Structures are given as structure tokens and as C-alpha cells.
Amino acid sequence: MTSAVWRDGAAYEAYVGRWSRLVAVEFLRWLDLPPGLRWFDVGSGTGVLTSTVLRTAQPRQVTGVDPSVGFVRQARAEVTDPRAGFAVGDARVLPLPGRAVDVVVSGLVLNFVPEPALAAAEFARVVAPGGTVAAYVWDYAEGMAMMRHFWDAAAALDPAAAARDDWQRFALCRPEPLRTLWTDAGLTDVSVQALAVPTVFTDFTDYWTPFLGGQGSAPGYLASLTGSQRTALRDLLATRLPTEPDGSIRLTARAWAVRGVPATGTVPSTKH
């Protein structure tokens, strides 16, 4: 989420944004909330989750905030629905009064917030009684296969790379830390759900090229290598990835989602 990590919206889209769109659909299907609600998207990035809310959830309005000026600029350019708006903002100090929105969501962001407990408390503060607070993060430990293959190969060539592996750095990529984060923020009826989507690459180039964009931990690590080291890692990955007869590489990406409600009030009835 921080601008030091994510700056270039186009590079993000090529690297992981295209898969983020798939998991956003699964996330909203799981929430299954009624139409006409006021949504607040924290860490809205390039507008992936906001645009999915607009397309599938029939909201009254959606407001997105993100600390990256570049991401906010791209979101404003690409998401032109009059129900949506974007602003630069910090998840730890949301620019809203208490009980201002019906739904607070955050997609693939919490691991990049320096103090996620402060963010979760803010989510709980701004949601109205009977509202929903929900988020999802990639399963860096096991389920995000494109990154798992990368880091396993990197560590085979450079044992020091293991310390930069996202699952070593981010505690919130597993169910129980997410559940604890929500309950510690005073949310109740907390549940956690796995969300899995296919990530199909047309060929090895389609898999490898986005890692050259410099956005995110793995591309950042790759940028730190010499040319010969990058070539060695590329060649090792090419031998390890499961490649179909047509050259495609069929992987999966799993995220963990968490949801809860304020300690007082009731949950909005879902669509049936």
C-alpha cells in the first residue's frame, strides 16, 4: 500500500492487478451484500475493487483512498462512474467521521500498512451500526503460486533471498492473524474464507515479464540482481514451472478474506 512499494499503476496491473480483478469478484460474491449501500474502499490502488463494487454490488456510492498519488491518478482516469470518487489518504487516519459508511472494504492492502491494528480500528470506527467491515490479502505462504515459485527458485540460488520472501515479512497472510486483527478491533461475528482464482499465463514470457516492472517485493528483489543473476533465476524458473503442451502455465492464486460487524447493531440482510 505504501507509495515506496507501489507507485506505477501500469506495472502493478501487469504484475498482479489482472489477478486482483478475479479475486475481487469472489470477495464480493462471498460478502453478498444488498444494493444501495455506501462503500469505502481503503487502499483502493488503481480502482480494481471499487470498479468491481460498482459493477456487481449496486452501491449508492463508493469512495476510495490510497496513499499513492500515482494510483489515485490512474483510478480517477479509469473509473469514471459518477458514484465513485478517489482521494489520497492513510488507512490509519481515515478522512471520515464515525459511523459514516455502511461497508468498509480493503483489498490486498493490509500487509502494506505499517500499523494494521490502527487501520482495523479505523475501519471499525467509520462503519455504521449494522455495517460490514471486510478485507482480503494474498496467501503469500502457500496459495499465491506465481510468487511462491519465484521465491523458491530465488532462495535456491541465493539463500539470503528467503528473508525477502513476502510470507516471511507479512504476518497477515494466514487466517488466524486476520481473525485476531478483526476481533481486537472490536468487531464481532468474525469469519475467514479462502478465495482461489486461476492465474493462467499464455507462456513463460507472460509469466516472467511482469517481474521486470519493479513493483512489489519480488520485482524489487529482481531489480537488485546483476544481469547474470537475473538470467540464472529466469532459467531456473523456466525449468520449474508447470508448462502445458501449448506452452501455457496454469497456476492458482489464493487469498484469505475476513469479515466482521460492529459490536452493536445488526448485519444488513443479504440478497437471496
Side-chain angles (χ1 to χ4, degrees), residues 30 127 131-134 182 187-191 258-262 267:
W30 176 57
V127 74
T132 297
V133 178
W182 251 226
L187 297 163
T188 63
D189 295 335
V190 176
S191 59
V258 61
R259 67 186 294 175
V261 299
V267 184

Side-chain angles (χ1 to χ4, degrees), residues 12 36 44 69 72 82 90 95 108 127 131 148 152 162 176 190 214 224 231 236 239 244 247 260:
Y12 172 83
S44 50
V69 174
V72 169
D90 189 327
L108 308 176
V127 74
R148 184 74 273 131
D152 287 350
E176 285 313 309
V190 176
S224 74
T231 298
L236 180 58
T239 67
E244 300 295 323

Side-chain angles (χ1 to χ4, degrees), residues 116-216:
L118 292 182
E122 279 289 272
F123 298 176
R125 178 185 68 82
V126 302
V127 74
T132 297
V133 178
Y136 56 100
V137 295
W138 289 126
D139 177 5
Y140 292 121
E142 298 175 355
M144 189 52 170
M146 61 174 283
M147 297 180 188
R148 184 74 273 131
H149 280 289
F150 177 94
W151 285 115
D152 287 350
L157 296 172
D158 172 19
R164 299 179 66 168
D165 189 335
D166 289 330
W167 89 269
Q168 297 280 10
R169 300 168 55 233
F170 298 136
L172 294 176
C173 65
R174 292 182 181 276
E176 285 313 309
L178 280 174
R179 187 185 302 277
T180 298
L181 183 66
W182 251 226
T183 56
D184 285 353
L187 297 163
T188 63
D189 295 335
V190 176
S191 59
V192 178
Q193 175 72 29
L195 308 173
V197 298
T199 55
V200 180
F201 302 89
T202 56
D203 53 25
F204 181 77
T205 298
D206 187 30
Y207 171 87
W208 175 252
T209 301
F211 285 97
L212 304 176
Q215 297 295 290

Side-chain angles (χ1 to χ4, degrees), residues 87-113:
V88 175
D90 189 327
R92 298 166 295 178
V93 189
L94 296 178
L96 287 177
R99 302 185 171 194
V101 294
D102 304 305
V103 187
V104 179
V105 290
S106 185
L108 308 176
V109 166
L110 285 171
N111 282 310
F112 302 102
V113 177

